Every structure is written in C-alpha cells, then in structure tokens.
Amino acid sequence: MQQKYLKIGEMAHTLGLSADYLRNRQGTEFREGKHFFKKGRLTLWVVDEMVKWVESIEDEDPTIEDILSSLCA
C-alpha cells in the first residue's frame, strides 16, 4: 500500500530536494490543506499532490522520471 502522507524529511528525500526547499515554499508555492497539513509541530506532505506538482514541471529533466518512479515504488 502506498503511503498517503510523508513527513517533511521523507518527502524531501523522495523528491531529491532539501527539507529547507520545501519549508521555504510552504504557504507560497505549496499550500496548506492541499500540498501539506500541519498537526502541531508536525508537517505531513500529501504524496498525490506532490506527484502532481512534479508532473507539472515543464522541464524535460530525466531526474523527474526518477522522482516519480521512487514515489510509485
């Protein structure tokens, strides 16, 4: 069964980004209630929404395929 939510460090690792990259874009590029949820001090990232975000990147970089493959594994 695929995980529905990941902690910020797990999501950053899965996407090949830093946790700071995600944190710095919370509330701007990534919206609370859509891309992530806060439970107290814990931030949970919505895997399906982050996959959509990765897929929306127009750049034809081959690493995007690697990111998507790791999310679906």
Side-chain angles (χ1 to χ4, degrees), residues 54-61 64:
V54 169
E55 290 174 342
S56 72
I57 298 172
E58 295 179 354
D59 197 2
E60 291 293 324
D61 188 345
I64 291 174

Side-chain angles (χ1 to χ4, degrees), residues 5 8 18 20-21 27 35-36 40 45 49 64 66-67 71:
Y5 304 100
I8 193 165
S18 71
D20 285 339
Y21 180 91
H35 297 102
F36 67 93
W45 291 80
E49 288 300 323
I64 291 174
D66 297 336
I67 292 170
L71 285 173

Side-chain angles (χ1 to χ4, degrees), residues 33-57:
K34 178 178 182 177
H35 297 102
F36 67 93
F37 293 91
K38 291 190 146 242
K39 293 212 143 241
R41 295 178 58 177
L42 179 66
T43 301
L44 297 174
W45 291 80
V46 182
V47 174
D48 290 342
E49 288 300 323
M50 295 306 289
V51 168
K52 287 179 191 174
W53 174 77
V54 169
E55 290 174 342
S56 72
I57 298 172

